[in-house]
Amino acid sequence: MKPTVGTQPRVIATRVLDAVLHNGRSLKAELATSLKQLPDPRDRALVEAICFAVLREGARFDAALAAWLPRPLAKRDRELHALMLAGFAQLDPIGLPPHAAVAATVEAARVLGRQHQSGLVNALMRRALREGLPVAEAGAQWPQWLRARIEHDWPGQSDAIFAASAQAPPLWLRVNRRQGACDDYREQLQQAGIEATSDPDLADGLRLDTPVPVATLPGFADGAVSVQDGAAQRVADALAPAPGARVLDACAAPGGKSAHLLERDPTLRLTALDIDPTRLRQVRETLDRLQLDGNTELRAADAADIDNWWDGSAFDAVLLDAPCSATGIIRRQPDVLLHRRESDLTALARTQAALLDALWRTVAPGGVLLYATCSILKAENATQVDAFLARTPDATAEPLDARFGHASGVGRQRLPGEDGMDGFFYARLRKA
Ligand SMILES: C[S@@+](CC[C@H](N)C(=O)[O-])C[C@H]1O[C@@H](n2cnc3c(N)ncnc32)[C@H](O)[C@@H]1O
């Protein structure tokens, strides 16, 4: 990325970080609104790079501030705190030319009405240049309680999990096989100067180690391709509904997995539910863009409240892509580490259990339910499914092979970064 010298991206990055770090706002939502203010794609890319770097490595920058300031910054200086983290991120890891980074950060202090602190900003930036920013231990960014859980659940792999969760992910594409073959699309990308590799375990997947803006992907607007992590693409293989099957996607929005199932088999009779009507509208948009206008019913409903939405006709295959801690996708949503509370896990586990119990009633005899999460916590995955099997006599687990990840209870767990993919759990349950 070529550096920009503009002040505006630094100001916007500071405001986004202030909202996320200090006011509990979501990074995705803040970026979505803030980036609209920047017409130059290089400025947008810089804001994203700064925000992600701070949320992935901010513990290092806070350590520097703790060492270099005589006392911690006051509450009224939270915006200054965000600005300093944004400033340090430009030096390391982003590695912008020091002069541009220092000058624009000092200028941003002025624009933010902190002229009186611009000398301090200048001094701290210059000290970071002279002395370098400290290195943090793996997992320094994680809250203690969550770090302990990961170390408990994955004792041999916890450092690799922390490291992978701090890396930028590749861009994974899913080629819409209704519009063309994956190899043909890879050639189209190549002609457009975009390098992609295929994955032997993904029939429709391509991996771009150097991500590009989605709008530059050939045929994107017409539905030739979607963005979807490789681990999420494996869900369709794990569910593997028979041709013409009656399928329920119980937590469907924004519709990535529903769409993939329909791309693979247009004869499926799909019902897609989501509790959130706004998010459900995204499923419609997803299906429209991909030109998957077949036999699909969309409903806004609490999937656990089956009396409210189910007409009593059983499903051959049910996908429960359950709400979860999102601990497998921290590389994409680093603010999960700020916002997630230990008490959330109890509530999530209760919701997951209620969804499993209720949806099991909708599975036809001999039918299948695939339980999936983007969590790497056993309480939401292996332990959750074990407890379900223990209280559900007509349920048995069916094995999934090693291409789905490590054996974990009766399911399979992919850990973040393995094969370049997100952390994901899959368990396939068969009804007697
Ligand atoms: C992990 S996301 C699903 C992603 C989706 N399967 C895809 O591939 O695009 C979980 C979804 O579950 C929905 N959800 C949460 N609780 C629900 C419930 N009780 N009933 C139905 N949907 C629910 C959320 O609104 C959210 O959209």
Side-chain angles (χ1 to χ4, degrees), residues 17 25 216 243 313 350 369-370 405:
L17 287 168
R25 306 295 295 265
T216 63
S313 331
R350 208 178 298 127
L369 183 148
L370 186 80

mmCIF file of all heavy atoms in Angstrom, residues 17 25 216 243 313 350 369-370 405:
data_model
loop_
_atom_site.group_PDB
_atom_site.id
_atom_site.type_symbol
_atom_site.label_atom_id
_atom_site.label_comp_id
_atom_site.label_asym_id
_atom_site.label_seq_id
_atom_site.Cartn_x
_atom_site.Cartn_y
_atom_site.Cartn_z
ATOM 1 N N LEU A 17 -11.340 3.920 16.501
ATOM 2 C CA LEU A 17 -10.708 3.208 17.623
ATOM 3 C C LEU A 17 -11.251 3.684 18.960
ATOM 4 O O LEU A 17 -11.475 2.879 19.874
ATOM 5 C CB LEU A 17 -9.188 3.396 17.562
ATOM 6 C CG LEU A 17 -8.497 2.605 16.447
ATOM 7 C CD1 LEU A 17 -7.059 3.058 16.267
ATOM 8 C CD2 LEU A 17 -8.557 1.102 16.736
ATOM 9 N N ARG A 25 -18.208 -0.162 20.978
ATOM 10 C CA ARG A 25 -18.830 -0.275 19.652
ATOM 11 C C ARG A 25 -18.164 -1.374 18.839
ATOM 12 O O ARG A 25 -17.023 -1.757 19.094
ATOM 13 C CB ARG A 25 -18.731 1.068 18.900
ATOM 14 C CG ARG A 25 -19.293 2.231 19.691
ATOM 15 C CD ARG A 25 -20.789 2.086 19.918
ATOM 16 N NE ARG A 25 -21.511 2.156 18.668
ATOM 17 C CZ ARG A 25 -22.050 3.268 18.183
ATOM 18 N NH1 ARG A 25 -21.962 4.391 18.867
ATOM 19 N NH2 ARG A 25 -22.689 3.267 17.045
ATOM 20 N N THR A 216 -13.515 -5.580 -7.456
ATOM 21 C CA THR A 216 -12.620 -5.827 -8.593
ATOM 22 C C THR A 216 -12.658 -7.286 -9.048
ATOM 23 O O THR A 216 -11.989 -7.653 -10.015
ATOM 24 C CB THR A 216 -11.152 -5.461 -8.245
ATOM 25 O OG1 THR A 216 -10.726 -6.333 -7.187
ATOM 26 C CG2 THR A 216 -11.012 -4.017 -7.811
ATOM 27 N N PRO A 243 -30.006 -35.169 -3.080
ATOM 28 C CA PRO A 243 -30.696 -34.350 -4.088
ATOM 29 C C PRO A 243 -32.175 -34.215 -3.756
ATOM 30 O O PRO A 243 -32.820 -35.183 -3.342
ATOM 31 C CB PRO A 243 -30.496 -35.144 -5.385
ATOM 32 C CG PRO A 243 -29.275 -35.973 -5.142
ATOM 33 C CD PRO A 243 -29.241 -36.275 -3.673
ATOM 34 N N SER A 313 -43.915 -30.395 8.973
ATOM 35 C CA SER A 313 -43.293 -31.296 7.985
ATOM 36 C C SER A 313 -41.800 -31.373 8.267
ATOM 37 O O SER A 313 -41.103 -30.342 8.233
ATOM 38 C CB SER A 313 -43.454 -30.801 6.546
ATOM 39 O OG SER A 313 -44.599 -30.062 6.421
ATOM 40 N N ARG A 350 -26.439 -21.885 26.727
ATOM 41 C CA ARG A 350 -27.852 -22.180 26.992
ATOM 42 C C ARG A 350 -28.661 -22.059 25.690
ATOM 43 O O ARG A 350 -29.483 -22.916 25.374
ATOM 44 C CB ARG A 350 -28.384 -21.214 28.055
ATOM 45 C CG ARG A 350 -29.518 -21.793 28.851
ATOM 46 C CD ARG A 350 -30.010 -20.854 29.948
ATOM 47 N NE ARG A 350 -29.022 -20.527 30.951
ATOM 48 C CZ ARG A 350 -28.675 -19.285 31.328
ATOM 49 N NH1 ARG A 350 -29.233 -18.234 30.760
ATOM 50 N NH2 ARG A 350 -27.784 -19.089 32.261
ATOM 51 N N LEU A 369 -28.715 -33.668 11.384
ATOM 52 C CA LEU A 369 -28.534 -32.284 11.827
ATOM 53 C C LEU A 369 -27.035 -32.023 11.897
ATOM 54 O O LEU A 369 -26.289 -32.803 12.501
ATOM 55 C CB LEU A 369 -29.177 -32.056 13.198
ATOM 56 C CG LEU A 369 -29.113 -30.607 13.734
ATOM 57 C CD1 LEU A 369 -30.348 -30.295 14.600
ATOM 58 C CD2 LEU A 369 -27.847 -30.307 14.550
ATOM 59 N N LEU A 370 -26.597 -30.960 11.253
ATOM 60 C CA LEU A 370 -25.194 -30.562 11.373
ATOM 61 C C LEU A 370 -25.116 -29.387 12.331
ATOM 62 O O LEU A 370 -25.722 -28.338 12.089
ATOM 63 C CB LEU A 370 -24.609 -30.157 10.013
ATOM 64 C CG LEU A 370 -23.110 -29.881 10.138
ATOM 65 C CD1 LEU A 370 -22.324 -31.175 10.142
ATOM 66 C CD2 LEU A 370 -22.620 -28.965 9.044
ATOM 67 N N GLY A 405 -10.660 -31.220 10.326
ATOM 68 C CA GLY A 405 -9.886 -30.720 11.463
ATOM 69 C C GLY A 405 -9.597 -31.809 12.476
ATOM 70 O O GLY A 405 -9.762 -33.007 12.209
#
